[in-house]
Amino acid sequence: MKLLFLGTGSATTVGTDNFHSNMILVSDSNETFMIDCGSDARFSLYKQKMSHLDVNNIYISHLHADHVGGLEWLALATKFDPRCMKKPTLFICERLEKEIWDKTLSGGLSTIQYEIANLETFFHVHLIPVNGAFIWEDCEFKIVQTIHVMNGFSLMQSFGLLCKIKNFKVFITTDTQFFPNHLTPLYEMADIVFHDCETSTSMSGVHSNYQQLIGLPEKFKSKMWLYHYNPGTLPDARADGFRGFVTCGQYFDFNDPNTFLAI
């Protein structure tokens, strides 16, 4: 099984050298599992010689456009392309089911000729309880609520993944603020951490910033690959104790542990 990064950029990534931080797992039997589907998903898939035809399953972590903005395209493409023999399966936390339709998708997808459409029109929906888990291709995925955006009254629903794939425990943050007390147990459990990391000198407050992560203990940094970074020159992550910054198109092969090592 391989994990391919379709893009590694932030929500404000520009140009075609990098794309939103979405990724795709490809199993040994060639089944696929896409993790998030940002607004530029069709372009990032195309760059890897893939398309909607290659997306069998998808997980959505939260409702920001760089994670869900391409889902309307994917829904329409897979429904109306006669080459698609079955609907993709959508894995999503039960708390997001109503919001993803009402706030993100219904404006464009509910207007189907001669049909009152809903989420099930386009996807086989697999709802995951809060703190729940699911199995895909004999691999266990547990959703982990992260602290991403708080508006003063409520916490935006956003969920990372703790995965058990082959002999690896992998923590993918998706999007999270820097909360060591909340994240340390996950760093401890994981063999590999893919961590969102803004590199802007101006901290947004809704992502972990490089200047915060650099203060983590070496035993945690040595597990971490960094992604979801801003455009521009990057710090020397390897010199600072991390495994490095993931690059667009980089893949990690669970059958070859060497691909997880720093380049």
Side-chain angles (χ1 to χ4, degrees):
M1 186 175 294
K2 294 181 180 180
L3 176 64
L4 169 67
F5 275 77
L6 299 170
T8 56
S10 69
T12 58
T13 192
V14 294
T16 56
D17 292 331
N18 203 355
F19 301 99
H20 290 147
S21 288
N22 308 153
M23 57 201 86
I24 191 164
L25 278 162
V26 182
S27 74
D28 296 339
S29 61
N30 218 36
E31 281 290 303
T32 58
F33 184 85
M34 192 170 176
I35 300 173
D36 286 330
C37 186
S39 302
D40 54 15
R42 66 190 192 277
F43 303 113
S44 60
L45 283 165
Y46 181 79
K47 186 170 182 177
Q48 300 303 322
K49 300 184 169 130
M50 303 174 80
S51 73
H52 62 283
L53 297 171
D54 299 295
V55 181
N56 311 127
N57 306 273
I58 185 163
Y59 170 77
I60 294 297
S61 63
H62 65 290
L63 303 188
H64 281 153
D66 55 321
H67 295 261
V68 76
L71 198 59
E72 180 179 324
W73 158 77
L74 182 66
L76 291 170
T78 52
K79 180 170 178 60
F80 293 109
D81 189 331
R83 295 172 294 174
C84 295
M85 304 304 293
K86 61 180 182 178
K87 297 184 287 189
T89 298
L90 174 65
F91 293 85
I92 191 167
C93 179
E94 61 187 6
R95 287 186 180 173
L96 292 174
E97 180 191 18
K98 186 174 188 302
E99 282 195 340
I100 198 172
W101 181 253
D102 291 348
K103 295 183 177 180
T104 303
L105 297 175
S106 66
L109 294 183
S110 60
T111 52
I112 301 299
Q113 185 80 343
Y114 305 126
E115 184 176 356
I116 300 174
N118 57 35
L119 202 56
E120 290 277 2
T121 304
F122 304 94
F123 303 102
H124 296 295
V125 181
H126 183 113
L127 296 180
I128 313 159
V130 176
N131 298 322
F134 60 94
I135 302 292
W136 175 77
E137 291 288 285
D138 296 324
C139 301
E140 182 182 47
F141 297 79
K142 181 175 178 59
I143 64 170
V144 178
Q145 186 157 28
T146 59
I147 302 168
H148 181 26
V149 178
M150 298 182 69
N151 67 5
F153 297 95
S154 62
L155 173 67
M156 180 183 188
Q157 300 299 313
S158 184
F159 300 90
L161 286 172
L162 183 64
C163 323
K164 187 176 181 181
I165 304 173
K166 304 268 186 191
N167 295 319
F168 292 87
K169 288 184 179 177
V170 181
F171 176 39
I172 303 171
T173 61
T174 64
D175 286 3
T176 183
Q177 294 181 34
F178 184 68
F179 272 91
N181 289 343
H182 175 62
L183 297 170
T184 291
L186 296 160
Y187 300 156
E188 292 275 11
M189 283 188 280
D191 301 308
I192 301 292
V193 178
F194 293 103
H195 210 301
D196 66 313
C197 174
E198 66 179 16
T199 48
S200 170
T201 55
S202 175
M203 293 189 187
S204 68
V206 299
H207 285 283
S208 301
N209 189 281
Y210 188 83
Q211 294 306 318
Q212 296 171 315
L213 291 170
I214 203 173
L216 287 172
E218 294 297 322
K219 66 177 182 177
F220 295 151
K221 291 193 294 182
S222 65
K223 300 179 178 184
M224 289 182 180
W225 282 96
L226 307 176
Y227 74 105
H228 206 294
Y229 44 82
N230 304 89
T233 303
L234 297 175
D236 188 345
R238 288 184 62 187
D240 289 329
F242 300 99
R243 294 209 174 185
F245 283 99
V246 186
T247 57
C248 180
Q250 186 172 352
Y251 74 89
F252 299 86
D253 188 341
F254 290 91
N255 295 313
D256 180 6
N258 290 326
T259 60
F260 288 89
L261 301 176
I263 299 172

